[in-house]
Every structure is written in C-alpha cells, then in structure tokens.
Amino acid sequence: MTLPLDERRPDPRSLPLFASRARRADAGEEHVGRPARPRSASGLHAVPAGEPSGTPTPRRATGSEVDWELVAAFRSQASELLTKQLGGDRLHLDKAAQEALGRSIIVELLEAAAADAVTAGRPSWTPVQQDELAQAIFNALFRMGRLQPLIEDDRIENISIVGFDGVWLDLADGSRVPGPPVADSDQELTDFLTFLASRSEISARPFSEAQPKLHLQLDDGSRLAATAWVSPRPLVLIRRHRLTEVSLQDLVDRQALSPLTASFLTAAVRARLSVVVAGAQGFGKTTMARALCGAFDPKESIATLESEFELGLHEMPDRHKIVYAWQSRPGSGERGPDGRQSGEFTLNEALHDSFRFTAGRTIVGEVRGPEAWLMVKAMESGSGSISTTHSVNARGAMRKLVTCAMEFGPQVTHELATRKLAETINLIVQLDMEVEELPDGTERRHRWVSEIVAISPGEKDLGYATTTVFDAHEGRVAVAHTLPDELRRLERHGFDLAGFLTEARSSGVIA
C-alpha cells in the first residue's frame, strides 16, 4: 500500500476539537434544511411518513456530527506515521496487519489530542464521539471515507457524483434517489480521490492535473471512474456489482430474458461460440458476461484481460477453478527512450503473456477502443471468448468494433478489421433498458435482452452477414426469430430447438 507523505493538511492538534456543525448540534440547532430524524436499527435514519421509503440518508454521530476537516487532518498524520512504521516491512505485513497497526496509530493520536485538550482546559470528546471519530479516520485511511456508508449499503447499486454535493444513488430495486454530500467542498473530494488512487495495493494510479482521469477497482470489487480539472466540477461514478456469481437462470428469474433464450445462450457457450455483449452504459453488460461465464465447465482454465478488474472471475473459486487474471497498469513519470512510462503494463503485453498459460478461453473484458484488435487475437487463439462493448443495437456494435480495431494501428485496415471480426465473432447479445417514473418522483429501471444477432463472413461490400436469431417483441424480452442452419447443432449442447421453432411460428416468423 503506497501512502503519500506530502499532503498539506493542518496539524490536528491546532484545530478545535468540535466543528461548527457539532457545536450547533450541541446547542440544539437542527441540521440545515431538514429536521433531525430518529435512527432505525439498521443505522439509517427512520423515514418520516410521506417520504420515499427507499431514500438512503447519511449516518450521523450520536449527539454531534463528525468534523470531516479534523478527520482529513488526522488521516494525513496517521498516513505519515503508518508509512514510517511500516518502513521496509511493508511487504511482510498483510492487509489485516497493516489495518491493525493503523487502528493503534489512530487511537494513540486521538488519546494524545484528548489529553492535550484537557491540559489546555478545552472540552474533550465523549467516548462515543471518540469512537465515531476513530472509525471515520480509519475509513478515510483504509476505506472510502465519507462514501463508506454508501458503499456498505446493500440497497445501493451505483453512486453518481457531480461535485461534492451532487450525489445520486441507483438502488437495487431500480429506483434513483438523491444522496448525501460526500465532502465539504469539491477540493476536498478531489484531494480524497488523489489519496485513494495513490494507496491502491493492487495497482496505484496517478490522478493529478497532468493525468485528470482515474479508473480504479475498489476493495469490494466496485469500479470507480473519476475526472477532475477538465470538468467544471469533479465527476465520479462508482458501479457496484451486486450480482457477481450470477447465472442465466438468475436473469430469467429477473425477467431479463426468456427460458428459451437462456437455453440458446447456454448451448452457445458450451459449443464454444464467441459472444459480444452490447448495450449502453448501465444496461447490465458485465452482469450478462458473468452469467455467460457461469456456463463454463468449472475446471476449464480461463484468462481474463481487463483495464480494471471488473468481471471478478478470479474471485469465484467455487465456480471457476483456474483463472489467470491480468489488469493493465498506467505508467508514471517521464517516458523512456521507447516512449513508455515507468511501470506501464498494457493489455497487449497481458495477451502475449497469457499465451504461455494455455488457457482454454481468453476473455478481453470491456472493448472501448484499440483493445478490439486484442479481442480478435484472443478469439483467434482459442474459441469461446466473451467480451462487452457499448452500442445502441447489435448491428451498430459491429460497425463500432471495426472502428475500434482500426485504432490499434495503421496496419489494421477497414477491410482487415471487418474480415477478422466476421471470422471470430459468432453472436452479439444486445441489452436494452427502460426507465419508469414512479408516482413518488423516483425512477425504476428494467433491463432485458432485446435481440441476439448471429455474425458470419459475408459479401465483399459489407464484409459480414447478420441474422436476427432473437428479436425484440413489443419492446421487451426478445423472442425466437430466425435460426441459421449452422446453429441447429446447438441442440446437441442442450438448446431447445423444438421450442425455438414453435415460438418462431407463433410469432409469425415461420409459416
């Protein structure tokens, strides 16, 4: 864990022990704009009658609110002391041991500050207040600071932040509600993101005016994307994947696809067809990719290549016994004679290394740019690959992938990219989503498979041919449409061919 030593924070002992907000609370003043609420057993405040029951509210300290400026100052001091004490033993202490050491440092700092306050005749903390402050400092040092209560709330799926006070929460039931501020200022939010990026154990990443974007996997597997300095306010999106060890049957139960479609996709995976899952951001592409991987043989060796770990197959030993997982890493500092920054590790290098591990399947996670060509190489090296990409429809996904592959270099021409993609991709699974506005003003989201298109090499002018296997039906879950002859072999792998033909006839596709 890398902890910075140069954070410019005031000495905690020079600050008052209670922030102005805490003093207002002690004086009996209410929180601005909202009366105090009783707390529920879960730690969230009870919701008064007439307010949406799904709205999460921030946790408050008992009798006062946490002074976050003080938390930031103590975090800086604790970070410096921890770094000094770890010294050369950093690699010999596991995460639990480092956190235990951090807790002892925090307790010592608080006890020393409390003793100084008593000596100086200033009011000190109550035991409850000191415990709450200690936990807040620990969360800022090792967890997600003021975001931690939101990260721990199982109801929350995504956290969208535009500035420190522009917070929206996507809940597991599909609704979207406002959330509490996550800092006292945009600068505080940006400072915390910089600290967060530097302390990553897996892959520390730069975040500064020189490198104003950040992509990071958090300890719980959530994915964070952030931008600052090039936008009016800092922007953050935290995507929490609640459905990790998910199956296609789970998605059937959630009405995201029909049992017949699940039968087809399961057979396709077992027959080692290569699949691209397409859809807009937040449509459930990663969840669908995990569900497809759930149809693999548990003992099959898998290589995953991702810019940030997101699929998490290597964290599912009961489902996937052998997973070789690679994550790219940006470099830092000046570029060397080869044009590369120190410490840089690319997906291209990861793919090259993966060939030595004789993986049965190689998966390039999300395809947004030149990694489309790496996806082609992965699919050529072993059948049955799975990837995801952003697109509004399946045919648009093919056009986008051609463009992305050409970004790999001038040697990848339009004709070459088109031909290779047509030869390697077998199916595109397109996802759709609908946002429903509820009477209370919140929103609910519904996701489903809207179409599945088969890809095959085609005529010279286009380069590939498409066949709609499942098509959207009245704007909802796709139904049977047209099955290419070469896909009838999927019946040997468990596909309900008779059910497909029956459904296609009932929908009027087959006379």
Side-chain angles (χ1 to χ4, degrees), residues 304-384:
T304 62
L305 288 67
E306 301 179 271
S307 55
E308 302 87 31
F309 289 133
E310 187 173 18
L311 284 171
L313 303 188
H314 59 288
E315 298 174 347
M316 308 176 192
D318 293 337
R319 174 171 291 202
H320 304 292
K321 306 292 184 183
I322 309 170
V323 180
Y324 308 116
W326 281 270
Q327 176 181 239
S328 65
R329 182 178 64 192
S332 59
E334 296 183 1
R335 297 186 180 276
D338 60 355
R340 292 163 56 89
Q341 291 182 307
S342 176
E344 182 181 9
F345 182 73
T346 67
L347 289 181
N348 195 29
E349 291 173 301
L351 179 65
H352 184 268
D353 284 353
S354 73
F355 293 151
R356 297 182 180 273
F357 286 77
T358 62
R361 299 179 193 252
T362 302
I363 297 173
V364 177
E366 185 176 19
V367 175
R368 293 172 291 184
E371 61 270 14
W373 191 245
L374 302 182
M375 179 191 73
V376 168
K377 293 165 71 174
M379 290 179 173
E380 285 183 323
S381 66
S383 58

Side-chain angles (χ1 to χ4, degrees), residues 421-440:
L421 287 165
E423 291 172 351
T424 53
I425 297 175
N426 300 115
L427 298 172
I428 297 179
V429 178
Q430 180 70 33
L431 305 180
D432 205 346
M433 183 177 76
E434 178 182 77
V435 179
E436 175 188 5
E437 186 170 348
L438 302 177
D440 62 4

Side-chain angles (χ1 to χ4, degrees), residues 122-143:
R122 298 192 305 268
S124 185
W125 298 289
T126 67
V128 171
Q129 289 168 337
Q130 185 163 325
D131 287 345
E132 290 173 343
L133 183 57
Q135 186 61 50
I137 298 167
F138 180 85
N139 286 342
L141 186 61
F142 292 104
R143 301 287 189 265

Side-chain angles (χ1 to χ4, degrees), residues 112-274:
D116 288 348
V118 171
T119 301
R122 298 192 305 268
S124 185
W125 298 289
T126 67
V128 171
Q129 289 168 337
Q130 185 163 325
D131 287 345
E132 290 173 343
L133 183 57
Q135 186 61 50
I137 298 167
F138 180 85
N139 286 342
L141 186 61
F142 292 104
R143 301 287 189 265
M144 289 295 293
R146 292 174 71 169
L147 282 162
Q148 191 62 32
L150 302 180
I151 294 292
E152 292 177 350
D153 193 329
D154 288 337
R155 297 174 299 168
I156 299 173
E157 196 169 79
N158 295 321
I159 304 170
S160 302
I161 302 170
V162 181
F164 75 96
D165 56 353
V167 181
W168 285 90
L169 310 174
D170 293 335
L171 305 187
D173 65 2
S175 60
R176 172 172 289 177
V177 299
V182 294
D184 284 342
S185 67
D186 285 355
Q187 184 62 51
E188 181 184 317
L189 175 59
T190 302
D191 288 346
F192 178 72
L193 291 170
T194 302
F195 174 78
L196 183 67
S198 70
R199 78 178 188 194
S200 173
E201 291 186 354
I202 300 175
S203 179
R205 299 183 177 227
F207 187 57
S208 63
E209 289 190 60
Q211 301 204 39
K213 62 180 182 179
L214 173 65
H215 296 277
L216 193 67
Q217 185 199 31
L218 305 181
D219 290 343
D220 70 336
S222 302
R223 194 171 94 172
L224 179 146
T227 302
W229 298 285
V230 293
S231 54
R233 305 188 70 183
L235 310 176
V236 185
L237 178 66
I238 299 175
R239 299 183 59 192
R240 301 184 61 211
H241 295 288
R242 298 176 63 258
L243 296 176
T244 52
E245 296 192 27
V246 62
S247 68
L248 289 169
Q249 182 57 50
D250 292 331
L251 299 185
V252 171
D253 295 340
R254 290 172 172 267
Q255 300 182 337
L257 70 164
S258 69
L260 178 63
T261 306
S263 164
F264 174 80
L265 290 175
T266 300
V269 170
R270 290 174 178 169
R272 307 186 68 83
L273 301 187
S274 290

